[in-house]
Amino acid sequence: DPDNFRYKNKLVAELAWVIRSAPSMSNSSGSGLYSTLDRTWCHEQFEFHKNWLDYLDEQPEEIEKYFQQSKTLLLGKRFEAFVQFWFEESPFFELLAYNVQLSNNGRTIGEIDFIVKDNRSDETLHIEAACKFYLSNKNSQQWKHWVGPNGNDNLQLKMNKLDKQLAICSTIEGKEFLSKNAINQPISCLFMKGYFFHHYRILTQSKAPSSSASNYNVGW
């Protein structure tokens, strides 16, 4: 997308990609108990934030200072850092909570990535953010056949984990946290970006992962 590469500052270009790039999964993914922040939402957010991104590109000191400590972060953590910067500094969002560990009698039951207030819609959103790269090891729609770079991860494991994380605000512990912090029950949303890779020998017969977004980022 040419708009994502019109920025002089590399960090601002990365942030633009985080906001506007195509999501990986569709609204029909997972358990159906949450929404997916889809292509339309991502494009709208990019349009809303164009002036802000242009300002950051001209005055990058703030974003450069923020990422001075993030140079060695792994991809997923770096992606989350960009999302956190976006929600903290954007005029359109208020970051209410992030990286919240919930436990019961000393046993960790899960973590909340982000809870934000959308100042335009006045909605409270619980957002689970992920940036994942998966390779098709068989020409199959089944999630278990889409594997991560280290071979131990796959799309099935990730979606199972996300199902659990996206339901966490409806648990007893989640509701207690919301009540204690005077946060309205949020809408749970998946914000998942990345790439799905197909083998170049089956370009015309390649099968997409089940419930993937129709316009997902693709590699060969």
Side-chain angles (χ1 to χ4, degrees), residues 9 11-12 15 51-70 81-82 84-91:
N9 186 276
L11 291 171
V12 177
L15 177 59
N51 290 341
W52 178 62
L53 290 166
D54 287 342
Y55 170 78
L56 286 175
D57 201 37
E58 294 298 326
Q59 305 286 337
E61 293 84 5
E62 183 179 16
I63 192 169
E64 287 176 350
K65 182 179 179 182
Y66 190 91
F67 279 92
Q68 279 177 354
Q69 307 302 319
S70 305
F82 273 105
Q84 183 176 334
F85 176 83
W86 173 23
F87 290 148
E88 281 185 345
E89 304 300 332
S90 164

Side-chain angles (χ1 to χ4, degrees), residues 102-104 107 109 168 170-178:
L102 297 180
S103 59
N104 185 330
R107 180 177 64 88
I109 65 160
I168 202 166
S170 296
T171 64
I172 293 172
E173 294 81 6
K175 289 180 178 179
E176 286 178 352
F177 171 80
L178 295 173

Side-chain angles (χ1 to χ4, degrees), residues 137-156:
N137 69 355
K138 290 186 179 179
N139 191 23
S140 170
Q141 292 183 300
Q142 295 183 49
W143 291 345
K144 66 182 180 180
H145 294 306
W146 290 85
V147 297
N150 66 9
N152 295 322
D153 181 27
N154 65 55
L155 184 56
Q156 180 72 67

Side-chain angles (χ1 to χ4, degrees), residues 157-175:
L157 294 172
K158 185 61 180 178
M159 295 307 294
N160 289 347
K161 182 179 180 181
L162 286 168
D163 268 6
K164 182 179 178 182
Q165 289 178 205
L166 283 154
I168 202 166
C169 285
S170 296
T171 64
I172 293 172
E173 294 81 6
K175 289 180 178 179

